[in-house]
Amino acid sequence: MRDVARSIVVGAGMVGLATAWHLQEQGVEVTVVDRTGVAAGSSWGNAGWLTPGKAIPLADPSLWTYGPRALIDPDAALHVPFRVDAALWSFLARFAAHGTHRAWDRTMAALTPIDRMALECFDELGAGGVDAWTREGPFVIGFAEEAHSPGFLREVEGVIRHGQDVPFERLDDPRELAPQLSDAVKVAYRLDGQRFLEPAPYVEALAASVVARGGELRTGVAVTAVSGGTQPSVTLADGERLEADSVVLATGAWLPQLARALGVRTRVQAGRGYSFTVATEQPAVHPVYLPFQRIACTPYQGRFRIAGTMEFRRPDEPPQARRIQAIINQARRLFTGVDLEHREDEWVGSRPVTPDGLPLVGATRAPGVYVAGGHGMWGIVLGPATGKLLAQRIVTGETHPAIAPFDPLR
């Protein structure tokens, strides 16, 4: 076990900042470094869902029928650019190999312990001074027809089978809770036991709490190299070298740039999501999910955030306007009183996806250097629990069973 008095966390998203906050709880001095700023990556424009009941494997058997559509349908929720990219196609082959019932159950069993901890970890942050809210649902789940719902129902039943409490019931009229849904939505359910937040304000409040508790936050500073050993260190783009007793890499879809040299061989692919906000005729109060279209919506600062798509491109590629249009095309007939023509906050963010659907949390081969990432779409909801358990691992040397399956050297 190392004597850890100081730590450097690279990455100021939800996962990195939660790790920094929990290291402070363990008495560790922290410096957080980010090449851009707080919540600058996938923590900014996502749907803000705190839904452990939906933190499930991304690959499932439907991938085998839906996947080919991603290559030919410009409006498909899953988009794969048709290009010569050996690394991308290698990732997709491994990802698709996990699209079986057996693999889904195996991954779900590994995710369930941390899923069950997720919401209480938000309560812990709130009790510890993070000045931002989380709110209960319900979440309204809508389908244009009955034939579109069995996949969602199987997912919920699978989550319950693995030990989570996920209350849901059929709704007679979803418009009582979500007047934004049009009459084209014929089948709907109410999902309870979940929460949501406004992601950027929440992560900013978490950063403010880290600073208020004595942490240092350095933004606009890129890390170019990481070294382990008796005195782990990071080297900044300007040549400055920072030393500490431990280093945590929480750089999302950019994790391989630094972690691969440290023995982390599991590929992390950017699964890019898009979102925007719109005005609504009636106030949006509850989150809405359209599973068949893979569209997630949340009340956001007096507007309605609409998020969707999974686009497998490199994380720094420019936004593709066609992906925003695809979301609009899919959503148009299912919403009413929603101004899709006057959009604000258009955004693309790179979510870190692993082939087996499991995060990468734990020690690398470099002594004193750790990683926390690869959460796919679930970095917001699982970030606080990840940070808590990784901080304990760094300080005590003991790995909590909930993160044991996430060994980054697997």
Side-chain angles (χ1 to χ4, degrees), residues 9 24 29-33 210-211 213-218 242:
V9 178
Q24 290 176 316
E29 294 182 9
V30 296
T31 298
V32 180
V33 181
V210 168
V211 172
R213 287 148 51 104
E216 181 182 6
L217 177 62
R218 299 182 62 172
L242 305 178

Side-chain angles (χ1 to χ4, degrees), residues 214-373:
E216 181 182 6
L217 177 62
R218 299 182 62 172
T219 59
V221 181
V223 172
T224 58
V226 179
S227 298
T230 56
Q231 196 74 70
S233 67
V234 302
T235 302
L236 307 183
D238 62 4
E240 183 181 1
R241 188 167 179 264
L242 305 178
E243 295 183 343
D245 302 305
S246 69
V247 172
V248 178
L249 302 180
T251 52
W254 293 265
L255 189 65
Q257 295 178 3
L258 296 172
R260 187 166 180 80
L262 308 174
V264 181
R265 301 299 183 185
T266 298
R267 180 172 174 83
V268 176
Q269 169 65 45
R272 306 201 317 171
Y274 288 75
S275 73
F276 51 87
T277 65
V278 295
T280 59
E281 290 180 1
Q282 298 189 55
V285 178
H286 302 297
V288 172
Y289 184 37
L290 305 175
F292 191 76
Q293 291 77 21
R294 269 73 164 187
I295 292 175
C297 309
T298 317
Y300 185 82
Q301 298 188 338
R303 293 171 65 82
F304 197 45
R305 171 167 281 173
I306 300 177
T309 207
M310 174 67 78
E311 177 191 48
F312 288 134
R313 288 182 180 268
R314 290 182 287 273
D316 288 316
E317 288 190 48
Q320 306 294 307
R322 186 64 186 82
R323 303 314 304 152
I324 293 285
Q325 189 60 48
I327 297 172
I328 295 168
N329 292 346
Q330 290 278 12
R332 190 179 299 280
R333 79 182 187 93
L334 301 176
F335 288 126
T336 185
V338 172
D339 187 359
L340 293 170
E341 305 308 319
H342 298 90
R343 301 177 299 277
E344 297 179 5
D345 308 313
E346 289 192 354
W347 170 89
V348 60
S350 294
R351 299 166 296 201
V353 181
T354 61
D356 61 6
L358 295 177
L360 302 167
V361 183
T364 70
R365 290 205 175 104
V369 182
Y370 304 82
V371 298

Side-chain angles (χ1 to χ4, degrees), residues 34-50:
D34 193 279
R35 67 173 188 165
T36 305
V38 172
S42 57
S43 289
W44 191 87
N46 63 83
W49 285 17
L50 306 185

Side-chain angles (χ1 to χ4, degrees), residues 163-229:
Q164 290 196 58
D165 181 20
V166 187
F168 76 105
E169 61 180 307
R170 187 151 179 160
L171 288 171
D172 293 328
D173 184 3
R175 281 155 286 276
E176 292 182 1
L177 294 173
Q180 291 74 35
L181 290 174
S182 74
D183 290 339
V185 175
K186 306 296 186 183
V187 178
Y189 291 85
R190 169 184 176 138
L191 182 68
D192 286 290
Q194 320 294 305
R195 306 183 200 173
F196 66 98
L197 50 69
E198 293 180 342
Y202 190 96
V203 176
E204 289 163 0
L206 179 56
S209 181
V210 168
V211 172
R213 287 148 51 104
E216 181 182 6
L217 177 62
R218 299 182 62 172
T219 59
V221 181
V223 172
T224 58
V226 179
S227 298

